[in-house]
Amino acid sequence: MSDDLTAEVSTALRRIWWLPVLRGVVLLILGLFMLVQPLGTVKALVWVFGIFAILDGVIAIGQWLGNRKEPGAGWWLISGLVGIAFGVIAVVWTGPTAQVIFYLIALWVLVLGILAVIASVVLYRSRDIGWYWVLTFGLISFLFGLLLIMNPQTSVSIIVVLLGLFAFVGGVVLIVSGFATKQLAKQLDAGSATI
């Protein structure tokens, strides 16, 4: 790899490594909150889900802004807009959403998973070394979404635990990917990275 290209890649990685970490921390906090303090009502679940989906969507759009010149970055924008749309639907129409919250959450997680898998393919084709982290997050999301759709629950506590587990695992994957990106940038600066 030429010195100019190495410096350019290192600069780009140092500029964006914190975005997946931030998104992962938000997911991790949500997951821990839902596992430690399960919500007692469907209405509370709707509000927590809505606010979280909006916040996650805003952070995903931030990832797009940090990566917009990279191939496949448009998938972050789409993912963010989808998250914000699901969150707004949940918050604005709390009553009707409460009746279908289980399906809304399952669909949101499933769509996030599908978008992440597609994004990982685009990243792989453009030889982006972080494609496997996006694929891991996408597969986790997709599998949780399928689990929720195939087993619709009528118990709030079951859906809260499942959503908490999804958020916890997804958060850990995103945090690890962010710090792996930061470490790679350091290795590129030192000239010791192997790709």
Side-chain angles (χ1 to χ4, degrees), residues 22 42 53 57 69 77 87-88 93 101 105 111 122 131 154 161 178 193:
L22 177 62
V42 174
K69 295 179 182 175
L77 177 62
V88 167
W93 293 301
I101 186 65
I105 291 172
V111 168
V122 172
W131 68 270
T154 55
V161 168

Short mmCIF file of all heavy atoms in Angstrom, two decimals, residues 22 42 53 57 69 77 87-88 93 101 105 111 122 131 154 161 178 193:
data_model
loop_
_atom_site.label_atom_id
_atom_site.label_comp_id
_atom_site.label_asym_id
_atom_site.label_seq_id
_atom_site.Cartn_x
_atom_site.Cartn_y
_atom_site.Cartn_z
N LEU A 22 -20.40 4.81 19.53
CA LEU A 22 -21.52 5.57 20.08
C LEU A 22 -22.84 4.82 19.88
O LEU A 22 -23.64 4.67 20.81
CB LEU A 22 -21.60 6.95 19.43
CG LEU A 22 -22.77 7.84 19.86
CD1 LEU A 22 -22.69 8.14 21.35
CD2 LEU A 22 -22.79 9.12 19.04
N VAL A 42 -47.29 -2.18 27.83
CA VAL A 42 -47.04 -2.08 26.40
C VAL A 42 -46.80 -0.63 26.02
O VAL A 42 -45.94 -0.32 25.19
CB VAL A 42 -48.22 -2.68 25.60
CG1 VAL A 42 -48.05 -2.44 24.12
CG2 VAL A 42 -48.37 -4.16 25.88
N ALA A 53 -35.45 4.08 18.64
CA ALA A 53 -35.35 3.97 17.18
C ALA A 53 -34.99 5.31 16.55
O ALA A 53 -34.18 5.37 15.61
CB ALA A 53 -36.66 3.43 16.59
N GLY A 57 -31.50 5.98 14.68
CA GLY A 57 -31.56 6.49 13.31
C GLY A 57 -30.70 7.73 13.13
O GLY A 57 -29.99 7.87 12.13
N LYS A 69 -18.45 9.64 1.53
CA LYS A 69 -17.64 9.53 0.32
C LYS A 69 -17.20 8.10 0.04
O LYS A 69 -16.63 7.82 -1.01
CB LYS A 69 -16.41 10.43 0.44
CG LYS A 69 -16.77 11.91 0.49
CD LYS A 69 -15.55 12.78 0.62
CE LYS A 69 -15.96 14.24 0.71
NZ LYS A 69 -14.83 15.12 0.96
N LEU A 77 -27.45 5.87 5.56
CA LEU A 77 -28.51 6.86 5.46
C LEU A 77 -29.88 6.18 5.42
O LEU A 77 -30.80 6.58 6.15
CB LEU A 77 -28.32 7.74 4.21
CG LEU A 77 -29.41 8.77 3.95
CD1 LEU A 77 -29.49 9.78 5.07
CD2 LEU A 77 -29.17 9.46 2.61
N GLY A 87 -39.47 4.94 14.62
CA GLY A 87 -39.58 5.61 15.90
C GLY A 87 -40.68 6.65 15.94
O GLY A 87 -41.43 6.74 16.91
N VAL A 88 -40.78 7.44 14.87
CA VAL A 88 -41.83 8.46 14.80
C VAL A 88 -43.21 7.81 14.79
O VAL A 88 -44.13 8.27 15.47
CB VAL A 88 -41.62 9.38 13.58
CG1 VAL A 88 -42.84 10.24 13.31
CG2 VAL A 88 -40.38 10.26 13.78
N TRP A 93 -48.25 7.64 17.06
CA TRP A 93 -49.46 6.83 17.15
C TRP A 93 -49.31 5.77 18.24
O TRP A 93 -49.37 4.56 17.97
CB TRP A 93 -49.77 6.16 15.81
CG TRP A 93 -50.16 7.14 14.76
CD1 TRP A 93 -51.21 8.01 14.79
CD2 TRP A 93 -49.51 7.36 13.52
NE1 TRP A 93 -51.26 8.75 13.65
CE2 TRP A 93 -50.20 8.37 12.84
CE3 TRP A 93 -48.38 6.81 12.90
CZ2 TRP A 93 -49.83 8.84 11.60
CZ3 TRP A 93 -48.01 7.28 11.66
CH2 TRP A 93 -48.73 8.28 11.03
N ILE A 101 -47.17 -3.50 18.49
CA ILE A 101 -45.78 -3.21 18.83
C ILE A 101 -44.86 -4.40 18.58
O ILE A 101 -43.73 -4.23 18.12
CB ILE A 101 -45.65 -2.71 20.30
CG1 ILE A 101 -44.21 -2.27 20.59
CG2 ILE A 101 -46.05 -3.79 21.29
CD1 ILE A 101 -43.75 -1.08 19.82
N ILE A 105 -41.66 -3.90 16.15
CA ILE A 105 -40.28 -4.12 16.58
C ILE A 105 -39.62 -5.20 15.73
O ILE A 105 -38.49 -5.05 15.28
CB ILE A 105 -40.22 -4.47 18.08
CG1 ILE A 105 -40.61 -3.25 18.92
CG2 ILE A 105 -38.83 -4.97 18.48
CD1 ILE A 105 -40.76 -3.53 20.40
N VAL A 111 -35.65 -5.40 9.13
CA VAL A 111 -35.23 -4.46 8.08
C VAL A 111 -33.80 -3.97 8.34
O VAL A 111 -32.98 -3.90 7.41
CB VAL A 111 -36.21 -3.27 7.98
CG1 VAL A 111 -35.65 -2.16 7.11
CG2 VAL A 111 -37.55 -3.75 7.41
N VAL A 122 -21.88 -4.68 -0.26
CA VAL A 122 -21.35 -3.52 -0.98
C VAL A 122 -19.95 -3.19 -0.46
O VAL A 122 -19.04 -2.91 -1.24
CB VAL A 122 -22.30 -2.30 -0.83
CG1 VAL A 122 -21.66 -1.04 -1.38
CG2 VAL A 122 -23.63 -2.58 -1.52
N TRP A 131 -16.18 -4.84 6.43
CA TRP A 131 -17.43 -5.45 5.96
C TRP A 131 -17.94 -6.54 6.89
O TRP A 131 -19.13 -6.71 7.07
CB TRP A 131 -17.26 -6.00 4.54
CG TRP A 131 -16.34 -7.18 4.46
CD1 TRP A 131 -15.00 -7.18 4.25
CD2 TRP A 131 -16.71 -8.56 4.59
NE1 TRP A 131 -14.50 -8.45 4.25
CE2 TRP A 131 -15.53 -9.32 4.46
CE3 TRP A 131 -17.92 -9.21 4.82
CZ2 TRP A 131 -15.53 -10.71 4.56
CZ3 TRP A 131 -17.91 -10.60 4.90
CH2 TRP A 131 -16.71 -11.33 4.77
N THR A 154 -47.36 -12.39 23.29
CA THR A 154 -48.39 -11.56 23.87
C THR A 154 -47.94 -11.02 25.22
O THR A 154 -48.62 -10.21 25.81
CB THR A 154 -49.70 -12.35 24.05
OG1 THR A 154 -49.42 -13.51 24.84
CG2 THR A 154 -50.28 -12.76 22.72
N VAL A 161 -37.34 -8.75 27.09
CA VAL A 161 -36.11 -9.53 27.26
C VAL A 161 -35.47 -9.82 25.90
O VAL A 161 -34.25 -9.67 25.74
CB VAL A 161 -36.39 -10.85 28.04
CG1 VAL A 161 -35.20 -11.78 27.97
CG2 VAL A 161 -36.73 -10.53 29.48
N GLY A 178 -15.96 -0.63 16.37
CA GLY A 178 -15.42 0.73 16.44
C GLY A 178 -14.00 0.76 16.97
O GLY A 178 -13.12 1.42 16.42
N ALA A 193 0.22 -2.54 9.92
CA ALA A 193 -1.07 -3.18 9.66
C ALA A 193 -0.95 -4.20 8.54
O ALA A 193 -0.26 -3.98 7.55
CB ALA A 193 -2.12 -2.14 9.29
#
